[in-house]
Amino acid sequence: MNYRSLAEENANPFLEAQQIRNDEPTTTTTTATATTTTTQATTKSDDAKLFTAAAHLDDHEHEHENEDTPRNSGIMIHIVPETGKESHRWNHIEDLDSFFSRMYNYQQKHGFHVIVLDELFQVLEFGFVIWLFTFTTHCIRFNELFGNNPNITKTTLSDVIIPTGQCITHFGFFTYLVIFIAAIYLGIRMLKMIYHITQYADIRRFYQTALLIEDHELDNITWHEVQQRTRRVQAEQHMCIDKELLTELDIYHRVLRFKNYLVALMNKQLLPVRFHVPLLGEVVSLSRGMLLNIDFILFRGPGSPFQNNWQLRDEFAVRSNQTELAQRLSQLILWVALANLLLAPLIFLWQLIYFSFSYANILRKEPSALGLRTWSNYGRLYLRHFNELDHELDARLNRAYEYADRYLSSFSSPMAAVIARNLLFISGGVLLLILALGIYDEHVFQVEHVLTIIAILTVIGVVCRTLIPDENLIWCPEQLMTAILAHVHYLPTEWKSQAHTAHVRKEFSNFFQFKFGYLLSEIFSPFVTPFVLIFVFRPKAMEIVKFFRSFTVSVRGVGNVCSFAQMDVRKHGNPDWQLSDVVDQPPQQQPQQQQQQQFQHQQQQQSMAGGKTEMSLVRFTLNNPEWQMPKEASEYIRGIREHAIDELVRAKTATQPMGRENPLTHSLISFGTIGEEYCSIANSVLAADLTAEQLQLSQSMARNVGSDFRHMLQQNLGEHMSSSAALNPADSMRRLRLSKAEGRIEGPTDTLLYSLYGVEPRLATKNPIGVTVADMCLSALYLHELSQQKRLARQSRIEETDEQPGPSNRQAPTGGGRGGGGGGGGGASGSRSGLGSGSRNNVITSKAAESTPLLGNIRS
């Protein structure tokens, strides 16, 4: 792969040729038939420039045409086949980001008619809110409605509702101002709706004429199939003229360009998600309003780092511009925050009305809905892979929902439970009394505020029931956390074996919060967002500028993308998640401590925490098995599978119990405890005999399948299943509508499970999509085990190095006049002397010694 920096992009001759095309009208029109091609060109003087640029094509262009980031190749002249009336309609689409995004939304939202209906109702919802507000404040006689008029014996609708003519006369200046502003917004919203409808009408024609997919077929076709057909259309009609062929990664980059930047910014802790609130302490929150503001500031607004959907501003390529760019970004954040502060009351009122209308019917029928949990915006962004579409993320988090809910429900406060039981007893008694009296005489319900009391008591009962633990619940937090990790793939490494603690429970609740808390944070976010932008996000302006400059690369045919989204494990891989690394050399071969710390710091700056790059690569290859990955990525994926096969063979052929314990066996045990379907898959892997290929790969000297090892794992995973029963282990996995499915229907043909099974891919005969999910779960657990093993080994080497004796530990020669009491002083003096004379060759071997050199071990 060829990763190009922004500086290299400025020197790219392709940009010069692109400017030529932008400065002059179309100079070449090319059509083709089955056997002949003709080329027509205009007679303008600039033609020579274009063809001169086209003549200087790279001689090695064809060698790299299948790579995701090919090398510079100048201008490409292509032939567009004439296949029908709209044969050239999809040629040279200028904004492919928006086009592919609308394609994805069109497929996920089930077609043109559903989209039009949704757009129309969104406009009608806003108009209805304005009408209801005006009607409630000016067109209702509240005295008659509440029965305060003694002259009326029976109240009718005509007595309560004021006629329209009289109602309008009651309007004041504030009402007319609200209606005027609402009318302007409604007009803009209607124009936007019409624009969206016309754009989606174009997408509909593309689906029908180019992809040959009708609307009624969308629910039965995967996005993977849509993507493959789009690639074939690119080969025929060249929607992107800068590249002969589009890869799966190119399309994902187009759809998720800005989302990938947000995922990287979250991983680098540059987003304002943690801040302190007076009287509340540290708060972790990321509201939708905050996300919209960040998106406007960084990507779409005037003055943002991006000048359009696909290109970063040229100023970011110059290092000397960093200070000026940071000042401009800081000023932009300040103005956006002040605008939010000015509009906060209106936004708050709209949020309150919108959420009240949206959840009123749900709360009336099922008040306990507020006690349910949901994945927070912070959790969704933290747990998201690079190049992961919304439906793929939703499917992953939905599979982890049950485990996450059971995990948090297993924690309870004894004091809160006692208080809740007594409050539930009292509120239940009062509620029962009111209901009993109401059944005896219905006039009881007509007493003032009785219905209000019933509603309050019902809410109290719902809240109290959520605080009382289930008596039949089994306490197994570690197992539940393992199941969560298998599906969400990312959790902090310090949570290992700490799932039972209150700290981990509190941190995880930030990912998986109560619906009630989510609604409160969204409703009050207009008042919080301006201050967070000013005091939390604005001070990070310089770091954000450096991030965009350092981690933006130019990809031919795609534009500027986040370099982490390229999933380059060679450049951005985390050392703890690599199978082999130069850092893991013996202590005597390691560089000096300070140089090593600097090297590790640089690696941390260039890599993602938590194995984000590595895990994203594994998931992307499973969902897109046709993707021609770069050499480094292919070697990494193959290395994982070969390493797992080697550990499986060594575990099965080991004669000692300790030899059977390794990251793979630990992963299989954890994998089997997730559920029955996963248990059967693990059993099928463990029960299979070793193949000659596996034995040759692991360089085993004997083929001896240990029955004790198999029996040990069967005790952890459950009863042993026969080989015939293990062939279809994923039948019980939850299935989604095909339009929401991850990857292709047939599933991948090369996975970790197939490598461990050592036979034809028979596991996928019934539910290949389910096996794909299971393989990703096992891969996540296995990579976490390998990372944990590597961290422990590195820590052990550091401790061994710290304990090694150095010259400072050796007893210095004592003079004739010094006794035992003065030996300590002499030793200290000798140490100082040693520090002074050999400072160039001294190596500080521990962090404590770095801060206090006299107390550390020193090697010359």
Side-chain angles (χ1 to χ4, degrees), residues 798-824:
I798 293 175
E799 293 176 356
E800 291 177 0
T801 305
D802 292 342
E803 294 175 358
Q804 285 184 355
S808 62
N809 291 340
R810 300 173 185 174
Q811 187 174 2
T814 58
R818 297 188 181 183

Side-chain angles (χ1 to χ4, degrees), residues 126 130 176-188:
F126 180 79
I130 298 302
Y176 280 114
L177 179 62
V178 171
I179 294 176
F180 176 73
I181 297 175
I184 294 177
Y185 176 82
L186 193 62
I188 296 174

Side-chain angles (χ1 to χ4, degrees), residues 334-385:
L334 178 62
W335 284 111
V336 172
L338 293 177
N340 276 267
L341 189 61
L342 182 64
L343 298 175
L346 293 178
I347 300 175
F348 169 76
L349 183 61
W350 169 254
Q351 295 270 58
L352 183 62
I353 294 174
Y354 176 81
F355 284 111
S356 299
F357 287 9
S358 299
Y359 290 93
N361 194 36
I362 298 177
L363 295 179
R364 184 181 66 86
K365 293 183 178 180
E366 192 177 358
S368 60
L370 290 178
L372 299 178
R373 290 185 177 270
T374 183
W375 294 102
S376 64
N377 295 322
Y378 164 64
R380 292 177 64 87
L381 196 57
Y382 180 93
L383 300 173
R384 189 167 195 150
H385 289 292

Side-chain angles (χ1 to χ4, degrees), residues 762-836:
R762 297 181 293 167
L763 288 171
T765 54
K766 294 296 183 180
N767 187 2
I769 297 178
V771 174
T772 303
V773 172
D775 190 89
M776 187 62 216
C777 291
L778 179 59
S779 299
L781 294 174
Y782 183 53
L783 287 175
H784 275 276
E785 287 289 344
L786 288 175
S787 174
Q788 179 73 6
Q789 182 190 55
K790 199 162 191 179
R791 284 192 299 271
L792 293 177
R794 186 178 66 250
Q795 183 64 29
S796 176
R797 286 195 300 271
I798 293 175
E799 293 176 356
E800 291 177 0
T801 305
D802 292 342
E803 294 175 358
Q804 285 184 355
S808 62
N809 291 340
R810 300 173 185 174
Q811 187 174 2
T814 58
R818 297 188 181 183
S829 176
S831 297
R832 293 190 193 98
S833 176
L835 281 171

